[in-house]
Amino acid sequence: MIRTTARRAPAPVDLTSLHFGASFVEELPGDPETRNVPRAVRNACYTKVAPTPVRAPRLLAWSDAAGELLGVSRPDSPTGIAAEVLAGNRVLPGMQPYSARYGGHQFGNWAGQLGDGRAITLGEVSGADGARYDLQLKGAGLTPYSRTADGRAVLRSSVREFLCSEAMHFLGVPTTRALSLAATGEAVVRDMFYDGNSREEPGAVVCRVAPSFVRFGNFEILAAAGETDALARLADYVLRHHYPELGSPGPATYARWFEEVCRRTAILAVEWMRVGFVHGVLNTDNMSILGLTIDYGPYGFLEGFDPRWTPNTTDAHGRRYCYGNQPAIAQWNLARLANAIYPLVNDKEALEQALARFSDTYEREAGRMMAAKLGLDSLDRDGDDALLARLIEWMARVETDVTLFFRLLAAVPVDAGDIEESRLVEPLARAFYSRDAWSPEHLPRIAGWLRGYAARVRAAGRPDAERIRDMNRVNPKYVPRNYLAQLAIDALDAGDASVIERLMAVLERPYDEQPAHDALADRRPEWARQRPGCSALSCSS
């Protein structure tokens, strides 16, 4: 008998002991100009630029899970060398910092050159799993792509990105990660609501982690500028490092690659819808070429069920990026990517066929997802469409917390017989924002739906324990609600890190009951309904 030993991850090392590579810089065309001033860049995928040092770098938060992914130990001191690196004050040997050039369609319109206006990628490392990861500082200072901005980020947006990046990972949603959150000791001036009331806010830097930060927009800017050679080199780089299974570059391979991007993006959209996540700014420059959630700006999680809800105040009128539009917008963005890589494929039909993969994948996987949330094997029986339609109808009439509703649905008795309506609905009480659910207008409708649902569950014949277990695996109890993030921001601003540390610990187990932290699963309190940062947010960060 041959005995095998499970591979052990190497012992974690200090950040300064990591070996940094720079394949993006070494294999792709760079900007020959070195002036770090906002300007138009041509014939390049990036510009080399160093982070701008800050006055007083200090680590505020650290993700042990992201550190474990990279094989990096938690720094011993909040003000040591690691803090200097992660705030942008020190560049380690092997790092070749750069900001990427990209364009994008913003709110449906071509915006031209955008690029990393405040993000600087330090370099890439080999993780504990053998994969390669880029480390990127967001809020690290001026770059040639900063346009009229200062390249900095404020504490409130940085906390939100740090918190949600890690929470989404543990929810099972494809995402970039976050290793650390560092204070800069400097103030940043921002107009939070674009209403002329600018004020100073504390600055911060997030260290983001991903296999790649390449976006749809990286290809769009090259295509728009007619830089076909650089376009091919970027596509070949992505294929070589992230899609090697597709084979050697060529028109057919590019088409297969685009089809795989469509498939991954469809899966991503399904996962967003499953957990009630709304990105808020689904511009093409915020779409990952790897199918990851990227750029956490004015995001949010559905509180009361509303397919038209958007967390972005800039989008409040048109609601282009609302919850219910996300799948369609993702597909629209993929069509823009298809246009950008057309010079490489030169086959409209092949790209259209690849784009159809999005719809096929999304429709199939969204059906499976919704069935799983309801504790069913499928939603293909007679009456299932009507069951879903009735659910959506009454949830739109009665303000119902989406996360809590699906979590609590598993507790509704499905074999209770002719139980009175109020008792049947009672297990869902925590999900309702008012007592409207018990009114003569709504109670019969909700109870009627629950009876129909219970009958459908009984017809499926699954053992209750198995069904409840599986429902609780796809319906989280804890999500990073905006009001919880705001509480963490307020506490950190006052020098208290305990709130974000508790949140991070709870959000690492979002599907577990965790009775000691049950209050963190509560629906949004009334005081947070209109408070800035607790519901809708602006792009100001």
Side-chain angles (χ1 to χ4, degrees):
M1 177 184 294
I2 299 175
R3 298 184 179 273
T4 59
T5 302
R7 178 186 173 187
R8 291 184 179 180
V13 300
D14 185 82
L15 179 70
T16 58
S17 299
L18 291 177
H19 174 75
F20 287 89
S23 64
F24 196 88
V25 170
E26 294 168 354
E27 299 177 28
L28 293 170
D31 181 7
E33 194 169 337
T34 57
R35 291 182 304 130
N36 188 11
V37 296
R39 53 188 168 81
V41 176
R42 296 279 300 183
N43 296 305
C45 293
Y46 65 88
T47 300
K48 285 189 175 181
V49 58
T52 303
V54 298
R55 182 183 303 134
R58 182 181 183 85
L59 288 178
L60 297 175
W62 176 270
S63 169
D64 287 318
E68 183 178 344
L69 176 71
L70 299 174
V72 179
S73 58
R74 178 185 282 258
D76 295 329
S77 169
T79 57
I81 295 177
E84 293 182 18
V85 173
L86 296 170
N89 281 30
R90 182 185 293 235
V91 175
L92 296 175
M95 290 180 174
Q96 296 189 51
Y98 69 89
S99 289
R101 174 184 174 226
Y102 50 82
H105 281 81
Q106 299 191 327
F107 295 94
N109 300 305
W110 175 243
Q113 177 179 294
L114 298 168
D116 286 332
R118 56 181 168 165
I120 297 175
T121 300
L122 298 176
E124 62 191 36
V125 299
S126 179
D129 58 358
R132 300 194 313 176
Y133 296 95
D134 287 342
L135 270 62
Q136 183 182 87
L137 301 184
K138 185 174 181 178
L142 193 71
T143 82
Y145 308 100
S146 297
R147 294 179 288 174
T148 60
D150 58 14
R152 292 304 187 186
V154 295
L155 179 67
R156 57 181 163 83
S157 65
S158 301
V159 168
R160 287 170 51 79
E161 174 134 15
F162 175 78
L163 191 67
C164 199
S165 297
E166 290 303 279
M168 290 283 272
H169 167 72
F170 288 104
L171 284 167
V173 181
T175 181
T176 57
R177 303 290 299 276
L179 176 65
S180 62
L181 171 68
T184 64
E186 299 177 353
V188 178
V189 177
R190 289 291 184 271
D191 183 351
M192 184 174 181
F193 292 106
Y194 302 117
D195 58 4
N197 294 310
S198 298
R199 67 180 183 89
E200 288 189 344
E201 300 184 49
V205 179
V206 174
C207 180
R208 308 197 294 186
V209 178
S212 174
F213 288 95
V214 174
R215 308 127 185 280
F216 292 6
N218 292 81
F219 297 90
E220 285 188 285
I221 192 66
L222 299 175
E227 299 167 14
T228 308
D229 178 66
L231 179 70
R233 290 180 65 180
L234 178 61
D236 293 354
Y237 172 87
V238 170
L239 283 170
R240 183 165 57 252
H241 289 284
H242 304 291
Y243 295 88
E245 70 280 3
L246 297 180
S248 301
T253 302
Y254 296 135
R256 289 196 301 272
W257 163 57
F258 177 62
E259 182 178 357
E260 175 60 13
V261 174
C262 291
R263 187 194 68 82
R264 292 190 187 188
T265 304
I267 297 297
L268 178 64
V270 169
E271 291 300 305
W272 287 343
M273 305 301 278
R274 175 177 67 85
V275 298
F277 174 78
V278 190
H279 186 284
V281 200
L282 279 183
N283 299 324
T284 56
D285 55 294
N286 292 335
M287 296 290 291
S288 162
I289 203 67
L290 300 183
L292 307 175
T293 313
I294 191 170
D295 280 348
Y296 291 91
Y299 67 81
F301 286 77
L302 283 182
E303 305 278 2
F305 175 72
D306 180 4
R308 293 279 293 162
W309 182 71
T310 175
N312 187 351
T313 56
T314 308
D315 194 32
H317 177 69
R319 300 184 183 273
R320 176 181 176 84
Y321 298 142
C322 66
Y323 173 73
N325 277 0
Q326 290 184 124
I329 292 299
Q331 187 173 35
W332 190 91
N333 289 341
L334 284 163
R336 307 288 79 73
L337 176 61
N339 290 339
I341 65 171
Y342 178 80
L344 307 181
V345 180
N346 199 29
D347 185 336
K348 180 181 178 181
E349 183 177 352
L351 289 171
E352 288 177 342
Q353 290 177 352
L355 185 59
R357 181 71 179 274
F358 176 92
S359 297
D360 295 342
T361 302
Y362 183 83
E363 182 177 354
R364 180 182 66 251
E365 297 303 323
R368 291 176 179 172
M369 175 268 290
M370 184 53 69
K373 287 181 74 67
L374 292 171
L376 302 172
D377 291 328
S378 66
L379 284 170
D380 55 7
R381 296 192 185 188
D382 289 344
D384 284 350
D385 289 345
L387 186 71
L388 278 178
R390 286 163 49 213
L391 172 63
I392 292 170
E393 180 185 9
W394 74 253
M395 286 184 74
R397 293 170 178 261
V398 180
E399 191 175 16
T400 306
D401 188 273
V402 173
T403 301
L404 284 169
F405 168 77
F406 280 104
R407 182 72 180 195
L408 296 171
L409 184 61
V412 173
V414 297
D415 55 358
D418 192 23
I419 186 173
E420 64 183 47
E421 291 178 341
S422 60
R423 288 181 58 201
L424 183 61
V425 175
E426 190 60 35
L428 301 176
R430 193 178 181 186
F432 298 126
Y433 280 83
S434 73
R435 295 295 296 180
D436 287 353
W438 279 265
S439 69
E441 177 185 0
H442 299 303
L443 182 60
R445 180 179 288 111
I446 299 172
W449 183 85
L450 287 173
R451 294 191 196 283
Y453 167 71
R456 176 65 175 84
V457 169
R458 292 195 301 271
R462 297 183 67 193
D464 270 358
E466 175 187 299
R467 173 182 58 83
I468 293 170
R469 179 201 64 198
D470 290 349
M471 289 178 72
N472 287 342
R473 286 176 175 175
V474 297
N475 295 317
K477 179 175 180 178
Y478 302 94
V479 294
R481 298 170 183 267
N482 278 341
Y483 87 89
L484 294 175
Q486 189 60 48
L487 292 176
I489 293 165
D490 293 343
L492 266 182
D493 199 13
D496 178 7
S498 66
V499 177
I500 192 171
E501 288 172 355
R502 179 190 180 202
L503 262 180
M504 288 288 289
V506 171
L507 292 171
E508 285 189 3
R509 298 162 50 207
Y511 299 96
D512 294 350
E513 282 297 322
Q514 303 188 68
H517 304 289
D518 191 64
L520 297 182
D522 280 343
R523 60 183 183 267
R524 179 189 59 210
E526 283 304 308
W527 62 259
R529 186 178 290 270
Q530 301 298 333
R531 183 183 169 187
C534 295
S535 181
L537 304 101
S538 74
C539 293
S540 170
S541 59

